[in-house]
């Protein structure tokens, strides 16, 4: 499984259970994308909560759609629609990221 590295920036509350957090993914172009979803989507160890010292690095399941080479850089197109069916607050599910933003396990190993 592949994960994209993100940052949990704040606790959103206990409703719905088991709680929600705001997470940001900064793409290869420097644009920040916001997710607000239940804690388990972000595979965080230890569990995120209202007393967590934010920001905290987290990971989100994703699938690699394409790899391109632009101006000497590798750009990966990923989707968060598969496998977790998660989107940003404005409905986005596809992002361009750099290879160092990906991990191939929840432990953080690089792909």
């Amino acid at each position: 499984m592949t994960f994209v590295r993100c940052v949990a920036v704040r606790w959103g509350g206990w409703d719905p259970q088991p709680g929600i957090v705001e997470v940001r993914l900064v793409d290869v172009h420097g644009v920040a994308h916001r997710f607000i979803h239940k804690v388990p989507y972000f595979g965080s160890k230890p569990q995120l909560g209202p007393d967590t010292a934010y920001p905290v690095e987290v990971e989100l399941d994703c699938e690699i759609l394409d790899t391109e080479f632009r101006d000497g850089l590798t750009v990966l197109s990923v989707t968060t629609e598969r496998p977790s069916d998660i989107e940003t607050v404005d409905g986005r599910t596809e992002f361009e990221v750099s290879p160092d933003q990906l991990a191939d396990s929840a432990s953080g190993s690089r792909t």
Side-chain angles (χ1 to χ4, degrees):
M1 185 169 283
T2 301
F3 300 87
V4 62
R5 292 183 177 98
C6 305
V7 176
V9 295
R10 72 176 182 89
W11 176 251
W14 287 110
D15 188 29
Q17 288 290 325
I20 58 172
V21 291
E22 179 180 337
V23 170
R24 291 199 182 131
L25 164 64
V26 178
D27 67 22
V28 72
H29 307 288
V31 177
H33 304 278
R34 291 178 47 223
F35 298 89
I36 298 178
H37 286 282
K38 292 180 181 179
V39 170
Y41 278 102
F42 303 106
S44 177
K45 303 288 188 252
Q47 186 79 9
L48 298 173
D51 298 326
T52 300
Y54 293 92
V56 176
E57 290 186 18
V58 295
E59 296 174 343
L60 175 60
D61 295 343
C62 70
E63 180 179 303
I64 299 171
L65 300 173
D66 193 22
T67 302
E68 294 183 35
F69 301 97
R70 297 185 205 150
D71 300 321
L73 300 174
T74 302
V75 177
L76 301 163
S77 295
V78 300
T79 182
T80 56
E81 185 174 29
R82 294 181 304 274
S84 294
D85 195 26
I86 186 172
E87 62 185 36
T88 62
V89 295
D90 60 352
R92 292 196 57 173
T93 60
E94 292 186 15
F95 310 92
E96 291 186 332
V97 299
S98 64
D100 64 344
Q101 290 179 265
L102 297 184
D104 62 7
S105 71
S107 66
S109 301
R110 290 184 63 183
T111 55

